[in-house]
Amino acid sequence: MSPIPLSYTDIAADITAKITAGEYEPGAKLPSYTQLADRYDVSFSTAARAIALLRDRKVVVGAPGRGVFVAEGPSSS
């Protein structure tokens, strides 16, 4: 058990680090909000806020009905 739950900014930073490290490549589908909530032991809304922050930063893109994917940008080369 974590003494202090992660914040949505912590989760967004961790996902960004995984993208930078190549764990999630450009175009890769991220886990669902429910899977992220389970993985980070947070609520669904906290996971959704983390993804919304990444979307605002253009790190990920959403495809309605399909999921959330790592953005393919010029920095991926």
Side-chain angles (χ1 to χ4, degrees):
M1 227 188 217
S2 295
I4 300 173
L6 294 174
S7 71
Y8 74 98
T9 55
D10 294 330
I11 295 166
D14 187 59
I15 293 170
T16 300
K18 289 179 178 183
I19 291 169
T20 302
E23 189 171 329
Y24 297 122
E25 296 183 1
K29 184 177 179 180
L30 293 180
S32 69
Y33 294 163
T34 302
Q35 290 169 327
L36 289 171
D38 289 344
R39 184 172 295 172
Y40 290 101
D41 196 25
V42 296
S43 69
F44 179 92
S45 63
T46 300
R49 287 181 70 189
I51 296 299
L53 179 60
L54 294 175
R55 192 177 293 125
D56 289 346
R57 293 178 177 173
K58 305 206 184 311
V59 174
V60 300
V61 293
R66 293 183 48 224
V68 177
F69 299 83
V70 177
E72 300 200 34
S75 62
S76 64
S77 52

